[in-house]
Amino acid sequence: MKIYNTLTRKKEEFVPIEEGKVRMYVCGPTVYNLIHIGNARPMIVFDTVRRYMEYAGLEVNYVTNFTDVDDKIIKAAIEEGVSADEISKRYIAECKKDMKALNVKEATKHPLATEEIDGMIEMISNLIEKGYAYDSNGTVYFRTRKFNEYGKLSKKNIDDLEAGHREIKVAGEDNKEDPLDFVLWKPKKDGEPFWVSPWSEGRPGWHIECSVMSKKYLGDSIDIHAGGEDLIFPHHENEIAQSEAANGAEFSKYWMHNGFLNIDNKKMSKSLGNFFTVRDISEKYDLQVLRFFMLSAHYRSPINFSAELMEAAKNGLDRIITAVDNLKHKEANVTNEALADEEKALLENAKEFESKFRKAMEDDFNTADAISSIFELVKFANVSVNENSSKEFIIALKDMIIALSDVLGIITDKKEEILDEEIEKLIEERQMARKSKNFARADEIRNILLEKGIVLEDTREGVKWKRA
Ligand code: AMP
Ligand code: ZN
């Protein structure tokens, strides 16, 4: 299995530290809003990496965090007049719903930064003891130049560097020894959440959170650390400096980064305002389509989001689902049970698509080519199954399509169609629920319909609905 390692800028053979086991950490989202589809890209692609590794027989310990303390969360809390905790809890719950709908597997561990503060204080103390960090009026900074290998991931020369754009300006910034130094701990401002530490009542910097959560759940040295390519600098560079200075061991053997999801060739982001949330997309499409769309490109290439590409993804996915559905019908209706000799030979041929699939995935997770081999298998099944086929033959082909799709996290079940009559009935029940102020039930009904692809619109003339 080959992985493109950002650290060496090369495709390398993947050799885990411990044979048969993989320790993998993926930087998770900051939870102050519904996630947008750019945030969903690393979730989908690294979930697919995990699924393929599991298919290949490796045991994957998959850790991905939620950043639940951050300026943006505090800002959202102030705007809404609620606590920061309420904001982060709410959006963690919403994010988990989206991940489930995208068929992203539960992580082995999903740590929250706010529950790991003790570990952060410990690592910062360790860095101070070793001379890699210093306290300046309650703010603790990392002494960047002291870490000789700084810049090894982003290939930046330390003398050319300016502080990264994600660095948060804090009081006491002027007290840095060097402009390159970055924050490990910062004092609270009025009304902000805080924890008691030896340096000040305050909170950790963003980078130290991941160093600590990765160490706690996976150990000092891990196999893979991953995230979007915007995290290479400064986030991952700083994580390496902190972890390697504190632990005296290589932090991660392989670094994987996904390319951006763009819109009009610009990175989709909250700050540019050019985003769609996963929830927006779910109103129009089954989220399997979004997953399929993301996997239609190589994870390191940029993808431009467009209505046309989503339609193409929908058609592609439909082709697979329809083929599986047809095979299921045929399976239920054929009379021949046992495999004929020529069918045996055909199944041997079909194995070629499986090995093509594997070859594509072994080559730095080329999901685009892997999908092509599923299409070839679908085509093969469509032409080789007929009314004389045996049950065993049909099942073997069907199972092969389902199994390969499952490695990509693609569900091949056909969604049950809901009848107009049932929709009208549910809408009526929803109207009654709203009249009696049972808004919970009303929302529930809206969600039930949404899951079946029915979008409701409340208009002056009453409720209108359409199939997405
Ligand atoms: P954030 O909440 O901004 O820290 O982002 C969470 C994850 O989503 C990180 O791994 C980011 O690199 C990734 N990400 C954010 N925007 C995009 C985008 N437009 N395309 C791909 N990945 C993104
Ligand atoms: Zn991180």
Side-chain angles (χ1 to χ4, degrees):
M1 190 182 300
K2 285 207 159 55
I3 294 184
Y4 181 87
N5 189 354
T6 310
L7 194 60
T8 56
R9 302 286 198 266
K10 278 196 202 89
K11 268 189 210 171
E12 292 174 29
E13 188 58 32
F14 178 63
V15 185
I17 297 169
E18 195 180 334
E19 206 186 327
K21 298 202 167 153
V22 182
R23 293 172 228 171
M24 179 161 181
Y25 185 96
V26 182
C27 291
T30 307
V31 277
Y32 64 102
N33 212 325
L34 291 172
I35 57 163
H36 63 70
I37 57 177
N39 301 132
R41 191 170 186 195
M43 292 172 182
I44 293 167
V45 301
F46 297 119
D47 175 66
T48 307
V49 167
R50 172 199 189 171
R51 284 170 180 269
Y52 182 73
M53 288 183 156
E54 288 174 346
Y55 165 81
L58 296 161
E59 190 185 306
V60 185
N61 190 347
Y62 190 94
V63 177
T64 185
N65 69 297
F66 285 115
T67 296
D68 62 343
V69 51
D70 182 271
D71 284 349
K72 287 180 269 203
I73 300 174
I74 295 168
K75 187 165 167 264
I78 293 167
E79 277 167 15
E80 264 195 48
V82 297
S83 70
D85 194 50
E86 186 172 332
I87 295 284
S88 59
K89 290 250 160 42
R90 183 197 305 157
Y91 289 113
I92 287 170
E94 295 300 334
C95 180
K96 284 190 170 173
K97 280 189 212 161
D98 287 338
M99 289 170 89
K100 188 152 187 267
L102 290 165
N103 202 24
V104 170
K105 279 178 88 167
E106 269 284 319
T108 321
K109 176 73 193 171
H110 231 145
L112 308 184
T114 54
E115 290 176 0
E116 308 291 345
I117 305 287
D118 287 352
M120 297 175 204
I121 291 175
E122 202 180 307
M123 191 180 279
I124 297 170
S125 304
N126 177 355
L127 288 168
I128 293 175
E129 253 166 55
K130 291 191 166 132
Y132 281 104
Y134 56 94
D135 170 11
S136 173
N137 300 326
T139 303
V140 182
Y141 294 102
F142 187 89
R143 208 168 254 134
T144 303
R145 278 182 191 273
K146 189 168 163 69
F147 184 69
N148 290 333
E149 292 177 282
Y150 195 81
K152 68 176 171 181
L153 180 71
S154 54
K155 312 293 175 217
K156 288 185 192 284
N157 180 313
I158 198 153
D159 293 320
D160 299 338
L161 278 175
E162 282 176 27
H165 67 281
R166 294 193 78 145
E167 197 65 85
I168 305 150
K169 287 253 179 283
V170 288
E173 185 91 345
D174 301 343
N175 299 326
K176 282 183 183 184
E177 289 175 1
D178 185 319
L180 287 176
D181 295 351
F182 59 88
V183 173
L184 300 175
W185 186 268
K186 58 183 169 182
K188 67 171 181 187
K189 290 193 214 117
D190 272 352
E192 289 185 349
F194 68 91
W195 290 264
V196 175
S197 82
W199 318 290
S200 58
E201 289 184 342
R203 59 193 164 101
W206 173 39
H207 318 302
I208 197 78
E209 297 173 6
C210 288
S211 280
V212 167
M213 291 184 272
S214 177
K215 177 184 169 82
K216 176 161 173 193
Y217 296 102
L218 297 168
D220 287 355
S221 293
I222 69 170
D223 295 298
I224 301 172
H225 197 111
E229 67 181 16
D230 52 338
L231 300 189
I232 298 173
F233 186 84
H235 186 52
H236 287 163
E237 196 67 66
N238 291 355
E239 280 190 48
I240 292 177
Q242 297 162 159
S243 293
E244 299 195 353
N247 304 329
E250 185 180 34
F251 182 35
S252 180
K253 264 180 101 172
Y254 303 86
W255 288 82
M256 295 181 75
H257 294 97
N258 65 270
F260 289 145
L261 177 88
N262 292 332
I263 195 154
D264 297 328
N265 297 311
K266 275 197 214 78
K267 180 193 172 196
M268 181 176 285
S269 74
K270 290 263 162 71
S271 52
L272 290 176
N274 60 348
F275 64 90
F276 292 107
T277 63
V278 170
R279 218 48 75 79
D280 291 334
I281 301 302
S282 76
E283 297 199 354
K284 199 150 182 253
Y285 292 100
D286 183 332
L287 288 176
Q288 285 291 300
V289 176
L290 184 61
R291 184 170 181 121
F292 197 80
F293 160 80
M294 296 276 188
L295 297 178
S296 302
H298 190 272
Y299 75 90
R300 284 189 285 118
S301 311
I303 356 178
N304 220 4
F305 182 79
S306 70
E308 293 78 42
L309 286 177
M310 279 299 280
E311 278 304 307
K314 184 173 187 296
N315 293 337
L317 179 60
D318 277 349
R319 227 192 303 164
I320 300 173
I321 292 175
T322 307
V324 170
D325 196 51
N326 286 342
L327 290 170
K328 282 182 184 164
H329 282 290
K330 291 200 170 114
E331 176 194 338
N333 294 316
V334 290
T335 46
N336 288 346
E337 290 289 331
L339 209 57
D341 282 345
E342 69 214 44
E343 288 180 335
K344 266 186 209 153
L346 283 170
L347 284 184
E348 275 308 308
N349 292 347
K351 282 198 185 130
E352 183 204 327
F353 305 116
E354 198 172 348
S355 62
K356 262 192 175 169
F357 175 93
R358 240 185 270 141
K359 213 164 143 203
M361 292 300 279
E362 293 275 323
D363 182 16
D364 193 31
F365 311 96
N366 191 335
T367 52
D369 283 2
I371 288 175
S372 300
S373 65
I374 298 181
F375 282 146
E376 284 179 59
L377 176 61
V378 161
K379 202 166 155 196
F380 180 85
N382 288 346
V383 297
S384 35
V385 170
N386 56 45
E387 57 278 18
N388 299 320
S389 300
S390 72
K391 195 170 226 161
E392 205 176 324
F393 180 63
I394 296 170
I395 292 176
L397 287 175
K398 182 197 72 182
D399 286 353
M400 209 185 266
I401 300 173
I402 293 176
L404 295 186
S405 304
D406 183 58
V407 175
L408 302 179
I410 300 295
I411 301 168
T412 48
D413 290 337
K414 198 168 188 147
K415 282 260 157 75
E416 294 237 344
E417 287 278 340
I418 180 166
L419 301 172
D420 289 10
E421 212 173 285
E422 291 172 77
I423 298 171
E424 304 285 352
K425 240 186 181 165
L426 279 166
I427 290 177
E428 208 172 293
E429 193 193 333
R430 177 168 169 266
Q431 293 302 86
M432 302 286 279
R434 290 171 101 192
K435 259 196 203 132
S436 56
K437 301 218 177 324
N438 184 355
F439 296 114
R441 177 66 187 152
D443 280 352
E444 195 178 54
I445 293 173
R446 177 185 274 272
N447 288 335
I448 292 171
L449 287 169
L450 209 53
E451 260 177 29
K452 297 191 187 292
I454 307 301
V455 184
L456 300 187
E457 200 189 335
D458 294 308
T459 70
R460 248 185 267 168
E461 298 87 52
V463 182
K464 292 204 171 130
W465 63 268
K466 60 174 194 269
R467 290 181 197 271

Coordinates of all heavy atoms in Angstrom, one line a residue, residues 27-30 36 38-39 41-42 166 206 227-231 258-261 267-268, ligand 1:
C27 N -7.4 15.7 12.3 CA -7.9 16.9 12.9 C -9.3 17.2 12.6 O -9.7 17.2 11.4 CB -7.0 18.1 12.5 SG -5.3 18.0 13.0
G28 N -10.1 17.4 13.6 CA -11.6 17.6 13.4 C -12.0 19.0 13.4 O -11.1 19.9 13.4
P29 N -13.2 19.3 13.2 CA -13.7 20.7 13.0 C -13.8 21.5 14.3 O -13.9 20.9 15.4 CB -15.1 20.4 12.4 CG -15.6 19.2 13.0 CD -14.3 18.3 13.2
T30 N -13.8 22.8 14.1 CA -14.1 23.7 15.2 C -15.7 23.8 15.2 O -16.2 24.1 14.2 CB -13.5 25.0 15.0 OG1 -12.1 24.8 14.8 CG2 -13.6 26.0 16.2
H36 N -19.7 22.8 6.9 CA -19.9 23.0 5.4 C -19.3 21.8 4.7 O -18.6 21.0 5.2 CB -19.4 24.3 4.9 CG -17.9 24.6 5.0 ND1 -17.0 23.9 4.2 CD2 -17.3 25.5 5.8 CE1 -15.8 24.4 4.5 NE2 -15.9 25.3 5.5
G38 N -17.0 21.6 2.6 CA -15.5 21.5 2.6 C -15.0 20.8 3.8 O -14.1 19.9 3.7
N39 N -15.6 21.0 5.0 CA -15.2 20.3 6.2 C -15.5 18.8 6.1 O -14.9 18.0 6.7 CB -16.0 20.8 7.4 CG -15.8 22.3 7.7 OD1 -16.7 23.0 8.0 ND2 -14.5 22.7 7.7
R41 N -15.1 17.0 3.5 CA -14.1 16.3 2.6 C -13.1 15.5 3.4 O -13.0 14.3 3.1 CB -13.4 17.3 1.6 CG -12.7 16.5 0.6 CD -12.2 17.4 -0.6 NE -11.6 16.5 -1.6 CZ -10.8 16.9 -2.6 NH1 -10.5 18.2 -2.7 NH2 -10.3 16.0 -3.4
P42 N -12.4 16.1 4.4 CA -11.5 15.2 5.1 C -12.2 14.1 5.9 O -11.7 13.0 6.0 CB -10.8 16.2 6.1 CG -11.6 17.4 6.1 CD -12.3 17.5 4.8
R166 N -3.6 31.8 11.0 CA -4.6 31.2 12.0 C -4.1 31.6 13.4 O -4.8 31.3 14.4 CB -4.7 29.7 11.9 CG -5.3 29.3 10.6 CD -5.8 27.9 10.6 NE -7.0 27.8 11.3 CZ -8.0 26.9 11.0 NH1 -7.8 26.1 10.0 NH2 -9.1 26.9 11.7
W206 N -4.6 26.4 20.0 CA -5.3 25.4 19.2 C -4.3 24.2 18.9 O -4.7 23.1 19.0 CB -5.7 26.0 17.9 CG -6.2 25.1 16.8 CD1 -7.0 24.0 17.0 CD2 -6.0 25.3 15.4 NE1 -7.3 23.5 15.8 CE2 -6.6 24.2 14.8 CE3 -5.3 26.2 14.6 CZ2 -6.6 24.1 13.4 CZ3 -5.2 26.0 13.3 CH2 -5.9 25.0 12.7
G227 N -5.4 15.7 7.7 CA -6.3 16.9 7.7 C -6.3 17.6 6.4 O -5.6 17.1 5.5
G228 N -7.0 18.7 6.3 CA -7.0 19.4 5.0 C -5.6 20.1 4.8 O -4.9 20.3 5.8
E229 N -5.3 20.4 3.6 CA -4.0 21.0 3.3 C -3.7 22.3 3.9 O -2.6 22.7 4.1 CB -3.7 21.0 1.8 CG -4.5 21.9 1.0 CD -4.2 21.9 -0.5 OE1 -3.6 20.9 -1.0 OE2 -4.7 22.8 -1.2
D230 N -4.8 23.0 4.3 CA -4.6 24.3 4.9 C -4.0 24.1 6.3 O -3.6 25.1 7.0 CB -5.9 25.1 5.0 CG -7.1 24.3 5.6 OD1 -7.0 23.1 5.6 OD2 -8.0 24.9 6.1
L231 N -4.0 22.9 6.8 CA -3.5 22.7 8.2 C -2.0 22.4 8.2 O -1.4 22.4 9.3 CB -4.2 21.5 8.8 CG -5.7 21.6 9.0 CD1 -6.3 20.5 9.9 CD2 -6.1 22.9 9.6
N258 N -5.7 16.4 2.4 CA -6.7 16.4 1.3 C -6.6 17.8 0.7 O -6.4 18.8 1.4 CB -8.1 16.1 1.8 CG -8.7 17.1 2.8 OD1 -8.5 16.9 4.0 ND2 -9.4 18.1 2.3
G259 N -6.9 17.8 -0.6 CA -7.0 19.1 -1.3 C -8.3 19.8 -1.0 O -9.2 19.3 -0.3
F260 N -8.4 21.0 -1.5 CA -9.6 21.8 -1.1 C -10.8 21.5 -2.0 O -10.7 21.1 -3.1 CB -9.4 23.3 -1.3 CG -8.4 23.9 -0.3 CD1 -7.5 24.9 -0.7 CD2 -8.4 23.5 1.0 CE1 -6.6 25.4 0.2 CE2 -7.6 24.0 1.9 CZ -6.7 25.0 1.5
L261 N -12.0 21.7 -1.3 CA -13.2 21.7 -2.1 C -13.4 23.2 -2.4 O -13.5 24.0 -1.5 CB -14.4 21.2 -1.2 CG -15.7 21.3 -1.9 CD1 -15.9 20.0 -2.7 CD2 -16.8 21.5 -1.0
K267 N -11.4 28.4 -2.5 CA -11.7 27.5 -1.3 C -13.0 27.8 -0.7 O -13.3 29.0 -0.4 CB -10.5 27.7 -0.3 CG -10.7 26.8 0.9 CD -9.8 27.2 2.0 CE -10.1 26.3 3.3 NZ -9.6 26.9 4.5
M268 N -13.8 26.8 -0.5 CA -15.0 27.0 0.2 C -14.7 27.3 1.7 O -14.0 26.5 2.3 CB -15.9 25.8 0.1 CG -17.3 25.9 0.8 SD -18.4 24.5 0.6 CE -18.9 24.8 -1.1
Ligands
AMP1 P1 -11.8 23.9 10.5 O1 -13.0 23.7 11.3 O2 -11.7 25.1 9.6 O3 -10.5 23.7 11.4 O4 -11.7 22.7 9.4 C1 -11.9 21.3 9.7 C2 -11.3 20.5 8.7 O5 -11.9 20.8 7.4 C3 -9.8 20.7 8.5 O6 -9.1 19.5 8.2 C4 -9.7 21.6 7.2 O7 -8.5 21.5 6.6 C5 -10.8 21.1 6.4 N1 -11.4 22.0 5.4 C6 -11.9 23.3 5.7 N2 -12.3 23.8 4.5 C7 -12.1 23.0 3.5 C8 -12.3 23.0 2.1 N3 -12.9 24.0 1.5 N4 -11.9 21.9 1.4 C9 -11.3 20.8 2.0 N5 -11.1 20.8 3.3 C10 -11.5 21.8 4.1

